Amino acid sequence: MTAYTPPELVRENHFKVVNDSFGHPAGDAVLSAFGARLTAWAGPHAAVGRLGGDEFAVVLELPAGRLEQRLAQLIRMLHTPVVLKEGPPSTWPPRSAPRPRPRSAPAT
């Protein structure tokens, strides 16, 4: 059985630190990588969009019982650092930073 899941909201909690520490081009690179990873994870039949700032939403259809497994996969994908090409070699997020956590939207 296939069911629609509630929209998944994903937020990069420490995004302002990227802009403040590395500049807006680095922030744009992180947002772009974040969006590309969400799109790759969601697949061709899903809707992925940036809500604004550092918030994204994903709407997709999943077989019943697969949501937890798929969210775990998304977390692993988002844990992969983004290599920033501008300035000195660095990555985001720093190894010590907390990692983003997807959360389900409340039912309406």
Side-chain angles (χ1 to χ4, degrees):
M1 175 179 176
T2 301
Y4 288 98
T5 62
E8 297 302 320
L9 301 178
V10 183
R11 183 169 185 227
E12 170 48 77
N13 288 324
H14 301 281
F15 177 70
K16 184 177 181 329
V17 175
V18 176
N19 279 339
D20 292 349
S21 300
F22 299 104
H24 290 279
D28 291 346
V30 169
L31 284 177
S32 179
F34 203 82
R37 290 173 187 183
L38 282 175
T39 300
W41 170 80
H45 302 293
V48 177
R50 181 176 173 203
L51 300 176
D54 58 359
E55 295 180 334
F56 292 80
V58 180
V59 178
L60 69 157
E61 190 176 1
L62 289 173
R66 295 267 329 266
L67 180 60
E68 188 174 330
Q69 176 188 17
R70 294 285 283 142
L71 287 176
Q73 179 188 37
L74 174 60
I75 290 169
R76 284 190 305 273
M77 290 176 78
L78 295 178
H79 280 191
T80 305
V82 175
V83 177
L84 304 176
K85 296 179 182 174
E86 304 266 333
S90 56
T91 60
W92 184 259
R95 300 246 184 258
S96 61
R99 302 301 185 178
R101 296 178 188 215
R103 57 187 164 91
S104 293
T108 56

